[in-house]
Amino acid sequence: MTGRETTFAVWQSTMCPSYLLHLRKIARFLSLNGWREVPDMDAAEVVLIGACAGFLASFDMFRERMGPLRGAGRRVVVYGCLPKVDPAFYAAETPRDVITIPSRHPERAEGLVDEVTVPFADLPDESAFRPEDTADPDPTRRYVVVQEGCTEHCAYCPHKIGIGSATSRPLEDIVALVERNAAAGARSYYIDGNDSGSWGVDMDPPRVFPELVDALLAAAPQAQLQFGNIAPKWFRVYGQMLADALTHPRITNVKVPIQTTSERLLRLMRRDPFVRGLSPHLSRMRGGNPALRLRTDIIVGLPTETTAELADTLAFVAEHFHRVAVHRFDLHPRTLVARMQIPHLTAEEQDERMRMALAFFAEHPQVDARFDAWDRCALREGGA
């Protein structure tokens, strides 16, 4: 692609933190190799798009964004999971000469530049979001991605298609990143991954996630730590050792995405059913560290879900968690559940369950319940 004065603009949909950081690293790589980032896509020769496939709404946003770019004379570069999750949709919505960078290979951005003077591999990983990239900006917080990919094979989830199997980052690299940011004034760290608790299981010999927790606490002795995406099954694997590690007084926030408490639904969706087994661990963590805030995700309207199963999930959330992200079930056409011979809830039944969740959390204000913006709007219009 043409040379050293190329202008480019970046647009991203809602992306997983690790891939949003990769997107910013790609932008920094281009800037260091003679390209110039501009804020207005109309003024750019090249548009770099972050393409998430986690929610059906992400596809709608991608289509809307691509509309004015098709036939506009600008080159389009797409980075993210969407091209792999739904190749047919991607081919239909993008120009024939679109350039695609796979989510697990951001280093392929080097192919955009005629003469690479600063190699991608020489750049340190990004660890800070711009204020506009996060709902809770904090200039002293740094984000540390410890692994990518997933060990699960959930029937309803498109992420595994896009991100692949779990791969851990070497402990030495993680510690070096934390220490470098500590020297630059970082006071808190958000430790994340697609399946954070899987860190170490793919190594030879395998290492354990509690070991990583201890190493991070030692590497940043004055900082607060927050952890994202520790699946319930890792509490089954590591037991009290993990709960004790996460009860350290400098750990202030932990996310354990449960999706549902129904063992029937968890097995149907091919997800580890160890959710109710979390209870003693979560209670111990809350009791041992009053400053700790526990977060979770739930999915409302899973195929065959009953109102009794949803009620049980909501009660479990209210008992154990401070914050919950409530997501309506999306039927992705390329996921396994789309091919399973099981009944699905109608849109009206899903709406009923979403209103049930809204009403429940209105009666339990101690839980900070966060609904997808489009769901909240639609439900209010429907009289919730």
Side-chain angles (χ1 to χ4, degrees):
M1 186 172 288
T2 58
R4 300 187 57 80
E5 296 299 325
T6 303
T7 57
F8 73 101
V10 180
W11 179 83
Q12 72 255 355
S13 60
T14 302
M15 302 182 76
C16 298
S18 56
Y19 302 118
L20 180 55
L21 291 171
H22 286 330
L23 186 69
R24 295 311 313 170
K25 185 175 179 179
I26 291 172
R28 185 157 57 93
F29 163 79
L30 295 174
S31 296
L32 290 173
N33 281 278
W35 291 32
R36 180 167 59 88
E37 185 173 358
V38 296
D40 184 0
M41 287 196 300
D42 291 336
E45 300 167 70
V46 178
V47 178
L48 173 61
I49 295 179
C52 175
F55 302 95
L56 292 182
S58 302
F59 288 77
D60 295 335
M61 287 188 285
F62 184 82
R63 178 187 288 114
E64 180 181 352
R65 180 58 62 181
M66 288 303 307
L69 295 177
R70 299 183 67 179
R74 288 185 291 275
R75 300 298 301 273
V76 176
V77 179
V78 175
Y79 168 75
C81 293
L82 191 149
K84 190 173 182 180
V85 170
D86 198 333
F89 172 89
Y90 181 65
E93 298 298 332
T94 54
R96 289 185 178 181
D97 60 352
V98 65
I99 297 173
T100 305
I101 301 176
S103 59
R104 295 291 293 270
H105 293 284
E107 75 282 356
R108 294 186 186 175
E110 287 194 344
L112 300 173
V113 178
D114 288 338
E115 297 181 12
V116 175
T117 57
V118 182
F120 192 89
D122 288 354
L123 301 183
D125 285 341
E126 293 287 322
S127 56
F129 289 123
R130 301 174 305 173
E132 60 266 35
D133 291 334
T134 177
D136 185 23
D138 180 352
T140 69
R141 183 189 300 134
R142 294 296 179 266
Y143 293 78
V144 178
V145 177
V146 299
Q147 64 83 226
E148 294 182 32
C150 188
T151 58
E152 295 280 11
H153 300 277
C154 302
Y156 58 83
C157 182
H159 292 96
K160 184 64 173 281
I161 301 172
I163 63 179
S165 299
T167 303
S168 301
R169 188 174 184 179
L171 180 60
E172 296 75 15
D173 292 355
I174 297 170
V175 169
L177 179 61
V178 169
E179 291 177 341
R180 182 168 65 249
N181 279 287
R187 295 201 295 269
S188 68
Y189 296 87
Y190 191 90
I191 313 302
D192 203 11
N194 302 121
D195 181 10
S196 299
S198 72
W199 180 87
V201 298
D202 58 306
M203 294 179 174
D204 185 17
R207 304 181 81 162
V208 299
F209 185 72
E211 174 190 1
L212 173 64
V213 176
D214 291 342
L216 289 167
L217 287 165
Q222 305 301 319
Q224 295 182 341
L225 302 185
Q226 303 175 25
F227 287 86
N229 291 321
I230 304 175
K233 76 173 183 181
W234 300 113
F235 286 86
R236 173 180 58 77
V237 171
Y238 297 124
Q240 201 58 51
M241 177 171 61
L242 176 56
D244 287 345
L246 294 173
T247 308
H248 191 282
R250 286 195 288 113
I251 297 177
T252 60
N253 198 298
V254 174
K255 178 183 175 183
V256 184
I258 64 168
Q259 315 304 1
T260 177
T261 56
S262 168
E263 184 172 330
R264 181 188 72 84
L265 286 174
L266 290 166
R267 292 188 183 280
L268 181 65
M269 296 296 107
R270 302 193 177 188
R271 187 173 174 86
D272 192 292
F274 187 81
V275 170
R276 286 219 157 271
L278 287 171
S279 287
H281 300 303
L282 299 177
S283 297
R284 182 180 179 92
M285 289 164 63
R286 289 185 64 155
N289 180 6
L292 179 63
R293 294 294 176 262
L294 297 176
R295 298 180 296 128
T296 193
D297 293 343
I298 62 172
I299 299 176
V300 174
L302 286 163
T304 77
E305 177 193 64
T306 68
T307 54
E309 287 170 325
L310 175 57
D312 188 72
T313 297
L314 298 176
F316 187 88
V317 170
E319 179 180 359
H320 292 294
F321 292 96
H322 300 88
R323 179 188 291 185
V324 59
V326 183
H327 303 290
R328 179 194 296 260
F329 170 73
D330 277 342
L331 180 60
H332 286 259
R334 295 196 68 236
T335 54
L336 176 61
V337 70
R339 304 189 299 273
M340 295 168 64
Q341 300 299 310
I342 57 174
H344 292 258
L345 302 185
T346 65
E348 292 74 17
E349 288 171 324
Q350 283 195 334
D351 285 346
E352 174 192 4
R353 283 158 176 73
M354 290 297 291
R355 292 191 180 94
M356 179 178 167
L358 274 170
F360 178 89
F361 289 118
E363 296 175 357
H364 295 80
Q366 77 276 14
V367 181
D368 179 8
R370 307 202 172 187
F371 291 74
D372 294 324
W374 54 88
D375 259 329
R376 183 177 289 277
C377 178
L379 289 167
R380 282 178 175 169
E381 290 173 357

